[in-house]
Amino acid sequence: MLRLLLCLLISLPVLLVQGSASNSSTKSPAVPASPPPRPPSPLGDLSWALGLRLYQVLRSDSSSVNTVFSPLLVASSLGALGAGAAGNTASQVHDLLKTPSSSKIEGQAGELLAAALNSVNEANGTSFHLHTSSAVFSKQAAAISEAFVKESQTRFRLQHKTLKKGDSKEDLKQLYDWAKAGLSGLEGAPLLEEVKAKAGALILANAMKFKGLWEREFSEDSTDHRTFLGKKYTKVMMMHRAGVYPYHEDINNMVQIVEVPLWGGKAGLVLLLPFHVENLARLEKLLTLEQLSRWLEKTNITSLAISLPKANITSTLSLQKPLSTLGLTDAWDQTLADFSGVSDKSKGKLHLGGVLHWASLELDSQAGKAEADLEDEILDKPKLLYADHPFIIFVRDNTTGALLLMGALDHLEGEALHDEL
């Protein structure tokens, strides 16, 4: 009952605006503009295909909370390393970067990933603020090929760095300092499990900090603290906005789907919210490329009153086990790995020693700088999307359709809710 009353309070200002607009003789109700062209479908996109498979493996761990990562960065780094692999190692990397319709992109994975990275880089500062770094670290390895380094930097924005001589603790500190710089000084990224880089090891590392700039600003009342019903019930700050958005309700699967555009239309945030308060296990079982594509295709421009928590989702992930589960097995074995295209010298067996990933996704109220130029929207009986419980989130590049970020919000820190009865 309390949640229902809160939802009614949120929608009340919208209804009042409707009433005043309908009584005005100088302004007639606006008809929502035609929706922009839909981004390319997730079907056939290798960043979505890899992202969903990796997400399912990561979330199979019952201790996983507030997971977020960049499928595009993981895929592009693996694509760069795969270009320097041969034999069975190369085949396993290439298999990771396939989609159910892989015949359509056979031999084009590198070009598609490079195009997506360029598109995201061009949108930075317009649709979002982004800090990102990707690197391959080598540990006491044979000389790395200049051709490999140049190709990796040019196409995949993957730098080459060396780990200094030292033990695993010193290796981890160097990697952590690099990630902190890549996240623009973000504090609080937890230390990873111990990294044991043997001689000849290659360690892939990605770091991303993302903050979207909404097409229309979310209003924020500093005293507006509501309850987020996650793993624990906590009081958090909620942001509210009424507008028209691509939206769909899947009644059978009890999920709301909304895409909230970012400024300039170059990227969008997709939200999957269960109808009721529950953990995400049921919804996660539904996640396939086909199902996601159907949901997104069925979205229609709808009047919507949205409430989102102000949040910062962060993850620090070691992807060796998940990638091994998905079929990348030889790369970690010194006797089986074949990265002959990475080194100019055959002496010293190169192998993959780790794939490390730091990511941060911030949900804030800020919109793009030219929001004032937008006309007011006249809403007709808005539906309610009240995200006060766990949800799944995607950020996609609208030009290429690539999946920049994927994550789940399970819990928010805040003052614990106490039962006063």
Side-chain angles (χ1 to χ4, degrees):
M1 179 62 71
L2 178 60
R3 293 181 64 234
L4 178 59
L5 290 173
L6 290 174
C7 291
L8 291 174
L9 287 173
I10 293 167
S11 60
L12 183 58
V14 177
L15 300 177
L16 292 175
V17 170
Q18 287 177 239
S20 61
S22 63
N23 293 329
S24 172
S25 59
T26 60
K27 185 175 182 180
S28 59
V31 177
S34 299
R38 293 182 186 272
S41 170
L43 284 174
D45 187 284
L46 56 89
S47 62
W48 282 84
L50 176 62
L52 286 181
R53 285 182 287 160
L54 192 54
Y55 178 88
Q56 296 287 8
V57 176
L58 288 168
R59 299 287 291 181
S60 64
D61 183 350
S62 59
S63 64
S64 180
V65 176
N66 288 7
T67 310
V68 64
F69 66 100
S70 172
L72 179 57
L73 285 192
V74 176
S76 59
S77 296
L78 288 172
L81 198 62
N88 203 41
T89 303
S91 296
Q92 291 178 2
V93 174
H94 296 158
D95 286 344
L96 272 177
L97 302 180
K98 286 184 177 180
T99 70
S101 55
S102 58
S103 60
K104 297 180 181 179
I105 60 170
E106 191 68 35
Q108 300 179 28
E111 287 75 9
L112 294 171
L113 289 168
L117 288 172
N118 287 335
S119 179
V120 168
N121 185 64
E122 291 173 0
N124 190 13
T126 302
S127 287
F128 44 76
H129 292 313
L130 182 70
H131 297 275
T132 180
S133 295
S134 295
V136 56
F137 289 81
S138 58
K139 177 78 171 182
Q140 299 176 20
I144 304 300
S145 165
E146 291 185 6
F148 171 80
V149 172
K150 183 178 180 179
E151 177 78 0
S152 298
Q153 289 180 341
T154 302
R155 297 181 69 194
F156 303 106
R157 303 174 184 270
L158 184 73
Q159 299 178 330
H160 171 244
K161 296 184 176 295
T162 57
L163 287 173
K164 300 174 183 178
K165 291 184 179 180
D167 59 19
S168 58
K169 290 184 179 180
E170 292 178 350
D171 291 341
L172 184 57
K173 183 180 184 303
Q174 185 178 344
L175 289 163
Y176 177 72
D177 289 343
W178 171 87
K180 184 178 178 180
L183 294 173
S184 187
L186 178 71
E187 296 287 355
L191 291 175
L192 293 158
E193 61 193 45
E194 188 175 3
V195 176
K196 298 180 180 179
K198 301 177 182 179
L202 301 172
I203 296 178
L204 283 180
N206 301 119
M208 175 180 285
K209 180 181 180 181
F210 177 93
K211 178 182 178 180
L213 300 174
W214 306 112
E215 185 177 65
R216 292 176 181 272
E217 187 175 42
F218 278 72
S219 62
E220 180 184 324
D221 185 339
S222 61
T223 62
D224 187 13
H225 284 79
R226 308 289 177 91
T227 302
F228 188 83
L229 307 171
K231 287 184 174 293
K232 295 181 181 179
Y233 292 3
T234 55
K235 294 181 180 179
V236 303
M237 185 172 291
M238 296 290 287
M239 308 178 295
H240 312 294
R241 173 71 205 177
V244 292
Y245 302 96
Y247 175 78
H248 174 63
E249 287 183 4
D250 185 335
I251 303 298
N252 293 331
N253 289 311
M254 297 185 294
V255 59
Q256 294 175 284
I257 301 95
V258 64
E259 181 158 11
V260 186
L262 300 181
W263 177 252
K266 295 182 179 180
L269 184 149
V270 177
L271 197 74
L272 306 183
L273 179 72
F275 280 4
H276 308 296
V277 177
E278 59 177 299
N279 64 39
L280 294 171
R282 179 188 64 83
L283 182 55
E284 287 168 343
K285 291 179 181 178
L286 302 174
L287 289 184
T288 64
L289 283 173
E290 294 75 15
Q291 181 64 78
L292 275 168
S293 297
R294 285 193 293 270
W295 280 335
L296 293 171
E297 288 172 1
K298 290 181 178 180
T299 58
N300 290 305
I301 295 298
T302 305
S303 296
L304 203 64
I306 300 178
S307 290
L308 292 176
K310 187 175 181 180
N312 196 337
I313 313 171
T314 62
S315 284
T316 303
L317 303 170
S318 175
L319 300 180
Q320 179 171 347
K321 290 181 179 179
L323 291 173
S324 298
T325 300
L326 295 177
L328 186 64
T329 55
D330 287 10
W332 318 96
D333 192 319
Q334 284 181 293
T335 62
L336 298 176
D338 186 347
F339 291 108
S340 51
V342 175
S343 175
D344 289 326
K345 299 180 181 180
S346 58
K347 183 179 180 181
K349 188 68 173 178
L350 293 178
H351 62 283
L352 197 55
V355 177
L356 310 179
H357 197 86
W358 289 262
S360 165
L361 189 161
E362 184 177 356
L363 295 177
D364 203 350
S365 60
Q366 186 177 354
K369 59 183 179 181
E371 185 199 6
D373 295 337
L374 294 175
E375 294 183 359
D376 290 336
E377 296 167 321
I378 306 300
L379 306 182
D380 180 26
K381 298 180 180 179
K383 292 180 176 291
L384 300 178
L385 187 142
Y386 195 74
D388 68 343
H389 54 282
F391 54 83
I392 297 174
I393 191 168
F394 305 87
V395 179
R396 64 169 169 175
D397 175 64
N398 286 343
T399 301
T400 64
L403 183 55
L404 178 58
L405 278 166
M406 178 177 185
L409 180 62
D410 303 286
H411 171 71
L412 281 174
E413 294 295 333
E415 181 184 350
L417 181 67
H418 299 289
D419 190 349
E420 298 178 357
L421 298 179

